[in-house]
Amino acid sequence: MTKTTVSLPIPMTAAERLKVSQSLMIKFKRMHPEAKLPQRMTAGAIGLDLYAFLLTETGRNNTCLVPPNTTRNVSTGLLVQPPHGYFLAVCSRSGLALQHSVIVANSPGIIDPDYRGELNVLLYNGGQQSYYVRHEDRIAQLI
């Protein structure tokens, strides 16, 4: 006996589609004008890349040391508001994990729809070498 899977579009008017797309918007607010907004790096990417926000009080680029077997809380400089009824997941970047053994510590980090605080990323270094996060490094992805 074979099983057949069929995908059918949900019937919606143009107005309904517009309403759904508007209600699924993720709202971001910069806590500092230099904070970089998340970006899709390719047209087919699902995740939005998150960037480290590491500036000194005088506005100079800074770094964050993540020693081996240590977790650090890295700022993005953004406030986030997930769409009502949906959550966001903060996930590791595969290249960072493969090349440096640096992952999101609580991956996936879940952001509830009622969360209104700063978007931070808990980075864990599982490697044998210290890792330095620089200002505007891509540190995670948001799905």
Side-chain angles (χ1 to χ4, degrees), residues 30-74:
R30 290 182 172 109
M31 296 175 63
H32 188 280
E34 298 286 325
K36 194 167 182 177
L37 291 173
Q39 293 181 2
R40 267 194 188 87
M41 296 311 289
T42 64
I46 297 297
L48 298 167
D49 283 348
L50 295 175
Y51 298 88
F53 180 76
L54 300 170
L55 289 182
T56 65
E57 291 178 12
T58 59
R60 301 186 76 176
N61 289 1
N62 203 359
T63 60
C64 175
L65 171 64
V66 188
N69 301 311
T70 304
T71 300
R72 291 285 187 258
N73 189 11
V74 181

Side-chain angles (χ1 to χ4, degrees), residues 65-72 92-106 122-133:
L65 171 64
V66 188
N69 301 311
T70 304
T71 300
R72 291 285 187 258
S92 300
R93 295 190 66 247
S94 58
L96 200 54
L98 178 64
Q99 296 168 13
H100 303 285
S101 299
V102 174
I103 60 172
V104 174
N106 58 332
L122 296 174
L123 287 181
Y124 173 76
N125 182 356
Q128 297 178 4
Q129 302 290 324
S130 290
Y131 182 75
Y132 288 88
V133 180

